[in-house]
Amino acid sequence: MALRLFTEQGFDETTVEQIAAGAGVSRRTFFRYFDTKAAVLWHEFDREVEALHSAFDSTGDDIALMDAIRQVVVGVNHYHAEDVAELRMRINLIGTVPALQASSAPHYDAWERAISTFAGRRLGLPPDGLVPLAIGRTTLAACRAAFDVWVAQADANLTVYLDRALHALARGFDPTVH
């Protein structure tokens, strides 16, 4: 509902009252679930971060670090070709509306930290150390690239792109290593 309103009317022009009415709830109920109207667009992303933490907690130590990260990230992303239209709208809004661009930092940081916490634990390093942070941030960058290509091409399940990007990252983008 909110995504449709934001796309049709513009983010700034859409009110919380309109979103709440469209969802059949009161303004007060809306604010029980979301701090801001921008938070509506990040709800699924935040649930993905929670899923990453849970999946990493149950990942065995017998799997190589980058393989484990790839398996978990691919495993928590359940978007398919039929989801492209909605995700294009979401990405377009986040990429073009200054208030939404500003709201992205804490969400991306939480996602990176899920990865760096796992990497730090695996490596016996603090999660805010150089290598765990680098792993978290480069993993996010690779995933964002995969997401952008998937949205542009709309020809397969997102997991295909994530898997390819994270395999490439794990091998240092060396095309001779498979």
Side-chain angles (χ1 to χ4, degrees):
M1 170 56 58
L3 182 60
R4 184 180 57 75
L5 288 171
F6 294 154
T7 301
E8 290 173 0
Q9 299 177 178
F11 178 79
D12 292 327
E13 292 74 24
T14 301
T15 66
V16 168
E17 289 78 9
Q18 291 171 320
I19 298 167
V25 300
S26 70
R27 175 183 167 89
R28 184 175 177 163
T29 300
F30 174 90
F31 283 113
R32 282 190 199 139
Y33 294 95
F34 304 104
D35 294 336
T36 66
K37 65 182 180 180
V40 173
L41 292 178
W42 291 105
H43 180 69
E44 289 297 320
F45 189 89
D46 294 341
R47 288 192 355 200
E48 182 180 316
V49 171
E50 293 171 15
L52 286 170
H53 283 291
S54 294
F56 283 132
D57 287 345
S58 63
T59 299
D61 292 337
D62 57 325
I63 302 170
L65 175 63
M66 292 307 295
D67 287 339
I69 290 171
R70 181 181 48 77
Q71 288 174 16
V72 166
V73 169
V74 169
V76 302
N77 281 277
H78 304 288
Y79 300 109
H80 303 287
E82 60 269 15
D83 301 318
V84 170
E86 179 181 323
L87 290 168
R88 273 194 182 126
M89 286 189 288
R90 186 180 311 269
I91 289 169
N92 183 51
L93 284 167
I94 291 170
T96 59
V97 176
L100 293 173
Q101 289 172 335
S103 74
S104 69
H107 301 283
Y108 288 144
D109 184 63
W111 196 97
E112 289 173 354
R113 296 232 176 244
I115 305 295
S116 64
T117 297
F118 174 71
R121 188 170 59 234
R122 266 299 182 86
L123 298 171
L125 297 169
D128 59 351
L130 175 62
V131 172
L133 278 177
I135 292 169
R137 291 182 179 165
T138 57
T139 300
L140 177 62
C143 290
R144 289 182 70 188
F147 207 94
D148 288 348
V149 171
W150 173 69
V151 167
Q153 295 185 5
D155 63 345
N157 185 309
L158 172 62
T159 58
V160 171
Y161 293 96
L162 289 170
D163 192 60
R164 286 182 195 156
L166 294 176
H167 266 298
L169 174 63
R171 67 178 190 256
F173 300 105
D174 182 346
T176 64
V177 178
H178 299 284

PDB file of all heavy atoms in Angstrom, residues 76-114:
ATOM      1  N   VAL A  76      18.735 -16.585   2.661  1.00  0.00           N
ATOM      2  CA  VAL A  76      17.724 -15.689   3.245  1.00  0.00           C
ATOM      3  C   VAL A  76      17.059 -14.787   2.212  1.00  0.00           C
ATOM      4  O   VAL A  76      16.122 -14.065   2.551  1.00  0.00           O
ATOM      5  CB  VAL A  76      18.278 -14.831   4.410  1.00  0.00           C
ATOM      6  CG1 VAL A  76      18.831 -15.700   5.522  1.00  0.00           C
ATOM      7  CG2 VAL A  76      19.298 -13.828   3.947  1.00  0.00           C
ATOM      8  N   ASN A  77      17.501 -14.822   0.988  1.00  0.00           N
ATOM      9  CA  ASN A  77      16.902 -13.996  -0.068  1.00  0.00           C
ATOM     10  C   ASN A  77      15.966 -14.840  -0.903  1.00  0.00           C
ATOM     11  O   ASN A  77      16.404 -15.718  -1.637  1.00  0.00           O
ATOM     12  CB  ASN A  77      18.000 -13.367  -0.938  1.00  0.00           C
ATOM     13  CG  ASN A  77      18.616 -12.181  -0.258  1.00  0.00           C
ATOM     14  OD1 ASN A  77      18.076 -11.095  -0.336  1.00  0.00           O
ATOM     15  ND2 ASN A  77      19.724 -12.388   0.435  1.00  0.00           N
ATOM     16  N   HIS A  78      14.697 -14.536  -0.825  1.00  0.00           N
ATOM     17  CA  HIS A  78      13.674 -15.350  -1.473  1.00  0.00           C
ATOM     18  C   HIS A  78      12.909 -14.573  -2.540  1.00  0.00           C
ATOM     19  O   HIS A  78      11.721 -14.712  -2.687  1.00  0.00           O
ATOM     20  CB  HIS A  78      12.689 -15.874  -0.427  1.00  0.00           C
ATOM     21  CG  HIS A  78      13.351 -16.642   0.660  1.00  0.00           C
ATOM     22  ND1 HIS A  78      13.878 -17.893   0.473  1.00  0.00           N
ATOM     23  CD2 HIS A  78      13.629 -16.314   1.934  1.00  0.00           C
ATOM     24  CE1 HIS A  78      14.420 -18.324   1.600  1.00  0.00           C
ATOM     25  NE2 HIS A  78      14.292 -17.376   2.501  1.00  0.00           N
ATOM     26  N   TYR A  79      13.609 -13.725  -3.265  1.00  0.00           N
ATOM     27  CA  TYR A  79      12.954 -12.949  -4.307  1.00  0.00           C
ATOM     28  C   TYR A  79      13.053 -13.690  -5.638  1.00  0.00           C
ATOM     29  O   TYR A  79      14.060 -14.295  -5.954  1.00  0.00           O
ATOM     30  CB  TYR A  79      13.613 -11.575  -4.448  1.00  0.00           C
ATOM     31  CG  TYR A  79      13.553 -10.749  -3.186  1.00  0.00           C
ATOM     32  CD1 TYR A  79      14.697 -10.515  -2.438  1.00  0.00           C
ATOM     33  CD2 TYR A  79      12.357 -10.200  -2.748  1.00  0.00           C
ATOM     34  CE1 TYR A  79      14.645  -9.746  -1.278  1.00  0.00           C
ATOM     35  CE2 TYR A  79      12.297  -9.438  -1.593  1.00  0.00           C
ATOM     36  CZ  TYR A  79      13.447  -9.207  -0.868  1.00  0.00           C
ATOM     37  OH  TYR A  79      13.389  -8.457   0.270  1.00  0.00           O
ATOM     38  N   HIS A  80      11.991 -13.588  -6.419  1.00  0.00           N
ATOM     39  CA  HIS A  80      11.921 -14.251  -7.714  1.00  0.00           C
ATOM     40  C   HIS A  80      11.593 -13.217  -8.788  1.00  0.00           C
ATOM     41  O   HIS A  80      11.297 -12.055  -8.490  1.00  0.00           O
ATOM     42  CB  HIS A  80      10.869 -15.354  -7.687  1.00  0.00           C
ATOM     43  CG  HIS A  80      11.121 -16.356  -6.605  1.00  0.00           C
ATOM     44  ND1 HIS A  80      12.131 -17.294  -6.676  1.00  0.00           N
ATOM     45  CD2 HIS A  80      10.533 -16.545  -5.401  1.00  0.00           C
ATOM     46  CE1 HIS A  80      12.129 -18.024  -5.574  1.00  0.00           C
ATOM     47  NE2 HIS A  80      11.179 -17.586  -4.783  1.00  0.00           N
ATOM     48  N   ALA A  81      11.592 -13.640 -10.030  1.00  0.00           N
ATOM     49  CA  ALA A  81      11.344 -12.728 -11.151  1.00  0.00           C
ATOM     50  C   ALA A  81      10.025 -11.973 -10.980  1.00  0.00           C
ATOM     51  O   ALA A  81       9.938 -10.795 -11.328  1.00  0.00           O
ATOM     52  CB  ALA A  81      11.368 -13.495 -12.467  1.00  0.00           C
ATOM     53  N   GLU A  82       9.019 -12.608 -10.415  1.00  0.00           N
ATOM     54  CA  GLU A  82       7.725 -11.932 -10.256  1.00  0.00           C
ATOM     55  C   GLU A  82       7.762 -10.810  -9.212  1.00  0.00           C
ATOM     56  O   GLU A  82       6.845 -10.002  -9.131  1.00  0.00           O
ATOM     57  CB  GLU A  82       6.602 -12.927  -9.938  1.00  0.00           C
ATOM     58  CG  GLU A  82       6.796 -13.722  -8.669  1.00  0.00           C
ATOM     59  CD  GLU A  82       7.524 -15.056  -8.882  1.00  0.00           C
ATOM     60  OE1 GLU A  82       8.142 -15.267  -9.942  1.00  0.00           O
ATOM     61  OE2 GLU A  82       7.481 -15.873  -7.965  1.00  0.00           O
ATOM     62  N   ASP A  83       8.828 -10.754  -8.418  1.00  0.00           N
ATOM     63  CA  ASP A  83       8.978  -9.698  -7.413  1.00  0.00           C
ATOM     64  C   ASP A  83       9.653  -8.444  -7.971  1.00  0.00           C
ATOM     65  O   ASP A  83       9.752  -7.429  -7.278  1.00  0.00           O
ATOM     66  CB  ASP A  83       9.822 -10.204  -6.234  1.00  0.00           C
ATOM     67  CG  ASP A  83       9.211 -11.409  -5.553  1.00  0.00           C
ATOM     68  OD1 ASP A  83       7.981 -11.424  -5.363  1.00  0.00           O
ATOM     69  OD2 ASP A  83       9.974 -12.334  -5.212  1.00  0.00           O
ATOM     70  N   VAL A  84      10.127  -8.513  -9.200  1.00  0.00           N
ATOM     71  CA  VAL A  84      10.934  -7.439  -9.769  1.00  0.00           C
ATOM     72  C   VAL A  84      10.187  -6.112  -9.808  1.00  0.00           C
ATOM     73  O   VAL A  84      10.741  -5.068  -9.454  1.00  0.00           O
ATOM     74  CB  VAL A  84      11.465  -7.827 -11.168  1.00  0.00           C
ATOM     75  CG1 VAL A  84      12.099  -6.628 -11.857  1.00  0.00           C
ATOM     76  CG2 VAL A  84      12.479  -8.949 -11.040  1.00  0.00           C
ATOM     77  N   ALA A  85       8.945  -6.093 -10.243  1.00  0.00           N
ATOM     78  CA  ALA A  85       8.224  -4.824 -10.389  1.00  0.00           C
ATOM     79  C   ALA A  85       8.174  -4.068  -9.067  1.00  0.00           C
ATOM     80  O   ALA A  85       8.475  -2.871  -9.012  1.00  0.00           O
ATOM     81  CB  ALA A  85       6.815  -5.075 -10.923  1.00  0.00           C
ATOM     82  N   GLU A  86       7.796  -4.747  -8.015  1.00  0.00           N
ATOM     83  CA  GLU A  86       7.726  -4.094  -6.699  1.00  0.00           C
ATOM     84  C   GLU A  86       9.108  -3.633  -6.235  1.00  0.00           C
ATOM     85  O   GLU A  86       9.269  -2.532  -5.722  1.00  0.00           O
ATOM     86  CB  GLU A  86       7.124  -5.036  -5.664  1.00  0.00           C
ATOM     87  CG  GLU A  86       7.065  -4.407  -4.287  1.00  0.00           C
ATOM     88  CD  GLU A  86       6.487  -5.331  -3.238  1.00  0.00           C
ATOM     89  OE1 GLU A  86       5.547  -6.085  -3.550  1.00  0.00           O
ATOM     90  OE2 GLU A  86       6.990  -5.298  -2.110  1.00  0.00           O
ATOM     91  N   LEU A  87      10.105  -4.481  -6.429  1.00  0.00           N
ATOM     92  CA  LEU A  87      11.446  -4.118  -5.982  1.00  0.00           C
ATOM     93  C   LEU A  87      12.034  -2.985  -6.811  1.00  0.00           C
ATOM     94  O   LEU A  87      12.777  -2.156  -6.281  1.00  0.00           O
ATOM     95  CB  LEU A  87      12.346  -5.345  -5.976  1.00  0.00           C
ATOM     96  CG  LEU A  87      11.957  -6.336  -4.879  1.00  0.00           C
ATOM     97  CD1 LEU A  87      12.663  -7.652  -5.073  1.00  0.00           C
ATOM     98  CD2 LEU A  87      12.246  -5.775  -3.517  1.00  0.00           C
ATOM     99  N   ARG A  88      11.688  -2.917  -8.067  1.00  0.00           N
ATOM    100  CA  ARG A  88      12.127  -1.777  -8.887  1.00  0.00           C
ATOM    101  C   ARG A  88      11.568  -0.477  -8.326  1.00  0.00           C
ATOM    102  O   ARG A  88      12.270   0.529  -8.232  1.00  0.00           O
ATOM    103  CB  ARG A  88      11.669  -1.932 -10.333  1.00  0.00           C
ATOM    104  CG  ARG A  88      12.610  -2.697 -11.179  1.00  0.00           C
ATOM    105  CD  ARG A  88      12.269  -2.519 -12.662  1.00  0.00           C
ATOM    106  NE  ARG A  88      13.176  -3.317 -13.430  1.00  0.00           N
ATOM    107  CZ  ARG A  88      12.806  -4.223 -14.319  1.00  0.00           C
ATOM    108  NH1 ARG A  88      11.528  -4.428 -14.569  1.00  0.00           N
ATOM    109  NH2 ARG A  88      13.701  -4.916 -14.966  1.00  0.00           N
ATOM    110  N   MET A  89      10.284  -0.503  -7.960  1.00  0.00           N
ATOM    111  CA  MET A  89       9.676   0.696  -7.379  1.00  0.00           C
ATOM    112  C   MET A  89      10.402   1.084  -6.086  1.00  0.00           C
ATOM    113  O   MET A  89      10.716   2.253  -5.870  1.00  0.00           O
ATOM    114  CB  MET A  89       8.188   0.473  -7.093  1.00  0.00           C
ATOM    115  CG  MET A  89       7.317   0.472  -8.320  1.00  0.00           C
ATOM    116  SD  MET A  89       5.538   0.476  -7.931  1.00  0.00           S
ATOM    117  CE  MET A  89       5.296  -1.191  -7.334  1.00  0.00           C
ATOM    118  N   ARG A  90      10.663   0.097  -5.247  1.00  0.00           N
ATOM    119  CA  ARG A  90      11.322   0.336  -3.967  1.00  0.00           C
ATOM    120  C   ARG A  90      12.731   0.903  -4.186  1.00  0.00           C
ATOM    121  O   ARG A  90      13.117   1.898  -3.581  1.00  0.00           O
ATOM    122  CB  ARG A  90      11.387  -0.973  -3.171  1.00  0.00           C
ATOM    123  CG  ARG A  90      11.913  -0.841  -1.767  1.00  0.00           C
ATOM    124  CD  ARG A  90      11.925  -2.195  -1.061  1.00  0.00           C
ATOM    125  NE  ARG A  90      10.663  -2.902  -1.189  1.00  0.00           N
ATOM    126  CZ  ARG A  90       9.656  -2.806  -0.332  1.00  0.00           C
ATOM    127  NH1 ARG A  90       9.761  -2.051   0.717  1.00  0.00           N
ATOM    128  NH2 ARG A  90       8.550  -3.494  -0.523  1.00  0.00           N
ATOM    129  N   ILE A  91      13.486   0.280  -5.067  1.00  0.00           N
ATOM    130  CA  ILE A  91      14.858   0.727  -5.343  1.00  0.00           C
ATOM    131  C   ILE A  91      14.853   2.124  -5.949  1.00  0.00           C
ATOM    132  O   ILE A  91      15.679   2.968  -5.596  1.00  0.00           O
ATOM    133  CB  ILE A  91      15.583  -0.280  -6.253  1.00  0.00           C
ATOM    134  CG1 ILE A  91      15.881  -1.547  -5.475  1.00  0.00           C
ATOM    135  CG2 ILE A  91      16.864   0.309  -6.815  1.00  0.00           C
ATOM    136  CD1 ILE A  91      16.345  -2.694  -6.334  1.00  0.00           C
ATOM    137  N   ASN A  92      13.919   2.376  -6.860  1.00  0.00           N
ATOM    138  CA  ASN A  92      13.822   3.694  -7.471  1.00  0.00           C
ATOM    139  C   ASN A  92      13.537   4.759  -6.410  1.00  0.00           C
ATOM    140  O   ASN A  92      14.163   5.818  -6.401  1.00  0.00           O
ATOM    141  CB  ASN A  92      12.750   3.712  -8.557  1.00  0.00           C
ATOM    142  CG  ASN A  92      12.690   5.042  -9.257  1.00  0.00           C
ATOM    143  OD1 ASN A  92      13.696   5.565  -9.716  1.00  0.00           O
ATOM    144  ND2 ASN A  92      11.501   5.613  -9.327  1.00  0.00           N
ATOM    145  N   LEU A  93      12.614   4.482  -5.534  1.00  0.00           N
ATOM    146  CA  LEU A  93      12.298   5.438  -4.473  1.00  0.00           C
ATOM    147  C   LEU A  93      13.509   5.681  -3.571  1.00  0.00           C
ATOM    148  O   LEU A  93      13.866   6.821  -3.288  1.00  0.00           O
ATOM    149  CB  LEU A  93      11.112   4.944  -3.637  1.00  0.00           C
ATOM    150  CG  LEU A  93       9.749   5.081  -4.281  1.00  0.00           C
ATOM    151  CD1 LEU A  93       8.714   4.280  -3.509  1.00  0.00           C
ATOM    152  CD2 LEU A  93       9.339   6.550  -4.342  1.00  0.00           C
ATOM    153  N   ILE A  94      14.127   4.602  -3.123  1.00  0.00           N
ATOM    154  CA  ILE A  94      15.276   4.736  -2.219  1.00  0.00           C
ATOM    155  C   ILE A  94      16.420   5.468  -2.907  1.00  0.00           C
ATOM    156  O   ILE A  94      17.129   6.249  -2.278  1.00  0.00           O
ATOM    157  CB  ILE A  94      15.703   3.357  -1.681  1.00  0.00           C
ATOM    158  CG1 ILE A  94      14.629   2.826  -0.728  1.00  0.00           C
ATOM    159  CG2 ILE A  94      17.062   3.433  -0.991  1.00  0.00           C
ATOM    160  CD1 ILE A  94      14.806   1.377  -0.319  1.00  0.00           C
ATOM    161  N   GLY A  95      16.575   5.245  -4.199  1.00  0.00           N
ATOM    162  CA  GLY A  95      17.670   5.871  -4.923  1.00  0.00           C
ATOM    163  C   GLY A  95      17.431   7.310  -5.328  1.00  0.00           C
ATOM    164  O   GLY A  95      18.374   8.030  -5.644  1.00  0.00           O
ATOM    165  N   THR A  96      16.168   7.762  -5.324  1.00  0.00           N
ATOM    166  CA  THR A  96      15.880   9.101  -5.831  1.00  0.00           C
ATOM    167  C   THR A  96      15.311  10.071  -4.798  1.00  0.00           C
ATOM    168  O   THR A  96      15.315  11.281  -5.035  1.00  0.00           O
ATOM    169  CB  THR A  96      14.892   9.037  -7.013  1.00  0.00           C
ATOM    170  OG1 THR A  96      13.671   8.421  -6.579  1.00  0.00           O
ATOM    171  CG2 THR A  96      15.489   8.265  -8.185  1.00  0.00           C
ATOM    172  N   VAL A  97      14.809   9.579  -3.694  1.00  0.00           N
ATOM    173  CA  VAL A  97      14.208  10.452  -2.678  1.00  0.00           C
ATOM    174  C   VAL A  97      15.248  10.717  -1.587  1.00  0.00           C
ATOM    175  O   VAL A  97      15.674   9.779  -0.907  1.00  0.00           O
ATOM    176  CB  VAL A  97      12.941   9.804  -2.078  1.00  0.00           C
ATOM    177  CG1 VAL A  97      12.369  10.657  -0.963  1.00  0.00           C
ATOM    178  CG2 VAL A  97      11.898   9.566  -3.173  1.00  0.00           C
ATOM    179  N   PRO A  98      15.660  11.960  -1.419  1.00  0.00           N
ATOM    180  CA  PRO A  98      16.710  12.260  -0.431  1.00  0.00           C
ATOM    181  C   PRO A  98      16.424  11.730   0.978  1.00  0.00           C
ATOM    182  O   PRO A  98      17.326  11.202   1.632  1.00  0.00           O
ATOM    183  CB  PRO A  98      16.781  13.794  -0.453  1.00  0.00           C
ATOM    184  CG  PRO A  98      16.343  14.160  -1.834  1.00  0.00           C
ATOM    185  CD  PRO A  98      15.280  13.157  -2.183  1.00  0.00           C
ATOM    186  N   ALA A  99      15.188  11.825   1.432  1.00  0.00           N
ATOM    187  CA  ALA A  99      14.865  11.334   2.779  1.00  0.00           C
ATOM    188  C   ALA A  99      15.069   9.827   2.883  1.00  0.00           C
ATOM    189  O   ALA A  99      15.490   9.316   3.923  1.00  0.00           O
ATOM    190  CB  ALA A  99      13.420  11.688   3.143  1.00  0.00           C
ATOM    191  N   LEU A 100      14.792   9.113   1.803  1.00  0.00           N
ATOM    192  CA  LEU A 100      14.985   7.665   1.810  1.00  0.00           C
ATOM    193  C   LEU A 100      16.455   7.304   1.667  1.00  0.00           C
ATOM    194  O   LEU A 100      16.922   6.344   2.273  1.00  0.00           O
ATOM    195  CB  LEU A 100      14.150   7.013   0.713  1.00  0.00           C
ATOM    196  CG  LEU A 100      12.649   7.111   0.925  1.00  0.00           C
ATOM    197  CD1 LEU A 100      11.901   6.592  -0.293  1.00  0.00           C
ATOM    198  CD2 LEU A 100      12.230   6.368   2.179  1.00  0.00           C
ATOM    199  N   GLN A 101      17.179   8.069   0.879  1.00  0.00           N
ATOM    200  CA  GLN A 101      18.627   7.848   0.787  1.00  0.00           C
ATOM    201  C   GLN A 101      19.260   8.026   2.159  1.00  0.00           C
ATOM    202  O   GLN A 101      20.093   7.221   2.568  1.00  0.00           O
ATOM    203  CB  GLN A 101      19.255   8.816  -0.215  1.00  0.00           C
ATOM    204  CG  GLN A 101      18.899   8.514  -1.643  1.00  0.00           C
ATOM    205  CD  GLN A 101      19.377   9.598  -2.600  1.00  0.00           C
ATOM    206  OE1 GLN A 101      19.558  10.750  -2.222  1.00  0.00           O
ATOM    207  NE2 GLN A 101      19.565   9.212  -3.846  1.00  0.00           N
ATOM    208  N   ALA A 102      18.848   9.054   2.866  1.00  0.00           N
ATOM    209  CA  ALA A 102      19.394   9.310   4.202  1.00  0.00           C
ATOM    210  C   ALA A 102      19.012   8.205   5.181  1.00  0.00           C
ATOM    211  O   ALA A 102      19.779   7.883   6.093  1.00  0.00           O
ATOM    212  CB  ALA A 102      18.904  10.662   4.712  1.00  0.00           C
ATOM    213  N   SER A 103      17.857   7.603   4.973  1.00  0.00           N
ATOM    214  CA  SER A 103      17.411   6.547   5.894  1.00  0.00           C
ATOM    215  C   SER A 103      18.103   5.215   5.646  1.00  0.00           C
ATOM    216  O   SER A 103      17.987   4.296   6.461  1.00  0.00           O
ATOM    217  CB  SER A 103      15.893   6.365   5.785  1.00  0.00           C
ATOM    218  OG  SER A 103      15.539   5.690   4.580  1.00  0.00           O
ATOM    219  N   SER A 104      18.846   5.094   4.552  1.00  0.00           N
ATOM    220  CA  SER A 104      19.441   3.802   4.202  1.00  0.00           C
ATOM    221  C   SER A 104      20.640   3.425   5.071  1.00  0.00           C
ATOM    222  O   SER A 104      20.882   2.246   5.311  1.00  0.00           O
ATOM    223  CB  SER A 104      19.852   3.784   2.731  1.00  0.00           C
ATOM    224  OG  SER A 104      20.939   4.659   2.495  1.00  0.00           O
ATOM    225  N   ALA A 105      21.391   4.392   5.538  1.00  0.00           N
ATOM    226  CA  ALA A 105      22.649   4.112   6.233  1.00  0.00           C
ATOM    227  C   ALA A 105      22.505   3.156   7.414  1.00  0.00           C
ATOM    228  O   ALA A 105      23.242   2.165   7.492  1.00  0.00           O
ATOM    229  CB  ALA A 105      23.324   5.412   6.660  1.00  0.00           C
ATOM    230  N   PRO A 106      21.590   3.377   8.349  1.00  0.00           N
ATOM    231  CA  PRO A 106      21.521   2.439   9.476  1.00  0.00           C
ATOM    232  C   PRO A 106      21.102   1.024   9.079  1.00  0.00           C
ATOM    233  O   PRO A 106      21.527   0.047   9.692  1.00  0.00           O
ATOM    234  CB  PRO A 106      20.510   3.065  10.439  1.00  0.00           C
ATOM    235  CG  PRO A 106      19.823   4.136   9.690  1.00  0.00           C
ATOM    236  CD  PRO A 106      20.680   4.501   8.521  1.00  0.00           C
ATOM    237  N   HIS A 107      20.309   0.921   8.025  1.00  0.00           N
ATOM    238  CA  HIS A 107      19.864  -0.401   7.577  1.00  0.00           C
ATOM    239  C   HIS A 107      21.008  -1.165   6.915  1.00  0.00           C
ATOM    240  O   HIS A 107      21.223  -2.347   7.189  1.00  0.00           O
ATOM    241  CB  HIS A 107      18.676  -0.262   6.633  1.00  0.00           C
ATOM    242  CG  HIS A 107      17.526   0.432   7.273  1.00  0.00           C
ATOM    243  ND1 HIS A 107      16.678  -0.190   8.165  1.00  0.00           N
ATOM    244  CD2 HIS A 107      17.115   1.720   7.185  1.00  0.00           C
ATOM    245  CE1 HIS A 107      15.779   0.676   8.581  1.00  0.00           C
ATOM    246  NE2 HIS A 107      16.025   1.842   8.003  1.00  0.00           N
ATOM    247  N   TYR A 108      21.743  -0.479   6.032  1.00  0.00           N
ATOM    248  CA  TYR A 108      22.891  -1.117   5.403  1.00  0.00           C
ATOM    249  C   TYR A 108      23.965  -1.432   6.446  1.00  0.00           C
ATOM    250  O   TYR A 108      24.622  -2.471   6.378  1.00  0.00           O
ATOM    251  CB  TYR A 108      23.468  -0.250   4.286  1.00  0.00           C
ATOM    252  CG  TYR A 108      22.607  -0.202   3.049  1.00  0.00           C
ATOM    253  CD1 TYR A 108      22.513   0.965   2.301  1.00  0.00           C
ATOM    254  CD2 TYR A 108      21.901  -1.313   2.604  1.00  0.00           C
ATOM    255  CE1 TYR A 108      21.730   1.017   1.153  1.00  0.00           C
ATOM    256  CE2 TYR A 108      21.122  -1.268   1.467  1.00  0.00           C
ATOM    257  CZ  TYR A 108      21.044  -0.105   0.740  1.00  0.00           C
ATOM    258  OH  TYR A 108      20.274  -0.063  -0.395  1.00  0.00           O
ATOM    259  N   ASP A 109      24.141  -0.556   7.408  1.00  0.00           N
ATOM    260  CA  ASP A 109      25.113  -0.799   8.468  1.00  0.00           C
ATOM    261  C   ASP A 109      24.738  -2.055   9.264  1.00  0.00           C
ATOM    262  O   ASP A 109      25.599  -2.881   9.567  1.00  0.00           O
ATOM    263  CB  ASP A 109      25.219   0.409   9.396  1.00  0.00           C
ATOM    264  CG  ASP A 109      26.295   0.223  10.448  1.00  0.00           C
ATOM    265  OD1 ASP A 109      27.487   0.108  10.073  1.00  0.00           O
ATOM    266  OD2 ASP A 109      25.950   0.184  11.652  1.00  0.00           O
ATOM    267  N   ALA A 110      23.475  -2.217   9.590  1.00  0.00           N
ATOM    268  CA  ALA A 110      23.028  -3.405  10.335  1.00  0.00           C
ATOM    269  C   ALA A 110      23.279  -4.672   9.529  1.00  0.00           C
ATOM    270  O   ALA A 110      23.684  -5.704  10.076  1.00  0.00           O
ATOM    271  CB  ALA A 110      21.547  -3.271  10.686  1.00  0.00           C
ATOM    272  N   TRP A 111      23.051  -4.612   8.217  1.00  0.00           N
ATOM    273  CA  TRP A 111      23.288  -5.770   7.351  1.00  0.00           C
ATOM    274  C   TRP A 111      24.774  -6.102   7.339  1.00  0.00           C
ATOM    275  O   TRP A 111      25.159  -7.258   7.526  1.00  0.00           O
ATOM    276  CB  TRP A 111      22.785  -5.444   5.947  1.00  0.00           C
ATOM    277  CG  TRP A 111      22.625  -6.647   5.055  1.00  0.00           C
ATOM    278  CD1 TRP A 111      21.470  -7.325   4.821  1.00  0.00           C
ATOM    279  CD2 TRP A 111      23.642  -7.293   4.287  1.00  0.00           C
ATOM    280  NE1 TRP A 111      21.724  -8.353   3.945  1.00  0.00           N
ATOM    281  CE2 TRP A 111      23.047  -8.361   3.605  1.00  0.00           C
ATOM    282  CE3 TRP A 111      25.003  -7.077   4.116  1.00  0.00           C
ATOM    283  CZ2 TRP A 111      23.743  -9.208   2.764  1.00  0.00           C
ATOM    284  CZ3 TRP A 111      25.717  -7.921   3.282  1.00  0.00           C
ATOM    285  CH2 TRP A 111      25.084  -8.966   2.616  1.00  0.00           C
ATOM    286  N   GLU A 112      25.617  -5.079   7.123  1.00  0.00           N
ATOM    287  CA  GLU A 112      27.072  -5.291   7.134  1.00  0.00           C
ATOM    288  C   GLU A 112      27.529  -5.873   8.465  1.00  0.00           C
ATOM    289  O   GLU A 112      28.385  -6.754   8.513  1.00  0.00           O
ATOM    290  CB  GLU A 112      27.810  -3.966   6.921  1.00  0.00           C
ATOM    291  CG  GLU A 112      27.722  -3.403   5.546  1.00  0.00           C
ATOM    292  CD  GLU A 112      28.328  -2.004   5.460  1.00  0.00           C
ATOM    293  OE1 GLU A 112      28.716  -1.411   6.489  1.00  0.00           O
ATOM    294  OE2 GLU A 112      28.405  -1.489   4.333  1.00  0.00           O
ATOM    295  N   ARG A 113      26.977  -5.370   9.541  1.00  0.00           N
ATOM    296  CA  ARG A 113      27.384  -5.824  10.883  1.00  0.00           C
ATOM    297  C   ARG A 113      26.976  -7.273  11.135  1.00  0.00           C
ATOM    298  O   ARG A 113      27.657  -7.979  11.870  1.00  0.00           O
ATOM    299  CB  ARG A 113      26.847  -4.898  11.944  1.00  0.00           C
ATOM    300  CG  ARG A 113      27.452  -3.510  11.809  1.00  0.00           C
ATOM    301  CD  ARG A 113      28.032  -3.011  13.086  1.00  0.00           C
ATOM    302  NE  ARG A 113      28.678  -1.727  12.833  1.00  0.00           N
ATOM    303  CZ  ARG A 113      29.976  -1.537  12.964  1.00  0.00           C
ATOM    304  NH1 ARG A 113      30.750  -2.512  13.345  1.00  0.00           N
ATOM    305  NH2 ARG A 113      30.492  -0.353  12.727  1.00  0.00           N
ATOM    306  N   ALA A 114      25.890  -7.718  10.544  1.00  0.00           N
ATOM    307  CA  ALA A 114      25.532  -9.135  10.670  1.00  0.00           C
ATOM    308  C   ALA A 114      26.644  -9.987  10.069  1.00  0.00           C
ATOM    309  O   ALA A 114      27.040 -11.011  10.652  1.00  0.00           O
ATOM    310  CB  ALA A 114      24.197  -9.413   9.970  1.00  0.00           C
TER     311      ALA A 114
END
